[in-house]
Amino acid sequence: MTHTDPIAYVDYLDLSGDPQLISQACTQCDAQFFDRRNACASCSATSFVDKPVDRTGRISSFTIVSGPQPYVSAIVDCAGVYVPATIINIAPDAEHVRLAMTVKLTTYSAGRDANGREAIGYAFEPMPEQ
């Protein structure tokens, strides 16, 4: 059996339209999380709703991961929601990547399974300077 529809690499990546990250927002305090929770880490409430995360943000911290294929690992502040992500389409060095750099959500192919179904991952990439 061959699947043609891609599958998101993580549960919180919605591919049903324009790619979008979806957080679990606490119905009491609006704290947002990307993983399944039994209780809110901020207020201990137990009710959550899906909430889209802004597609753009600013790099709040980053590190250059060295190795055979260096890359940028970052925390992106998307209107108060902190997203762990890889920054792509930029040279992985401190000369090109900077704190508060504006970035936007993008997706990439993470490979195919034995049946040919493509897995889609997310990352962020720099936005053109205004």
Side-chain angles (χ1 to χ4, degrees):
M1 180 168 144
T2 302
H3 293 280
T4 57
D5 291 336
I7 186 169
Y9 195 71
V10 293
D11 290 337
Y12 50 88
L13 174 60
D14 180 5
L15 299 174
S16 63
D18 286 337
Q20 179 81 53
L21 296 176
I22 304 294
S23 70
Q24 295 297 301
C26 175
T27 58
Q28 290 292 106
C29 71
D30 203 39
Q32 295 179 52
F33 308 96
F34 289 111
D35 52 353
R36 184 185 167 286
R37 298 282 171 140
N38 290 327
C40 176
S42 294
C43 73
S44 299
T46 59
S47 181
F48 300 88
V49 294
D50 288 350
K51 187 171 184 178
V53 175
D54 282 7
R55 288 185 175 97
T56 61
R58 294 187 180 275
I59 296 175
S60 64
S61 68
F62 72 92
T63 189
I64 309 300
V65 180
S66 57
Q69 192 72 36
Y71 65 95
V72 180
S73 180
I75 301 296
V76 178
D77 179 355
C78 295
V81 179
Y82 292 91
V83 182
T86 300
I87 308 299
I88 63 173
N89 299 326
I90 192 167
D93 58 51
E95 184 177 320
H96 293 90
V97 182
R98 66 184 189 288
L99 292 176
M101 174 182 276
T102 304
V103 292
K104 65 180 178 176
L105 181 69
T106 189
T107 58
Y108 63 92
S109 176
R112 293 184 180 273
D113 68 14
N115 295 317
R117 190 169 193 186
E118 184 177 29
I120 303 296
Y122 78 91
F124 283 81
E125 64 184 351
M127 291 185 64
E129 295 292 324
Q130 301 293 324

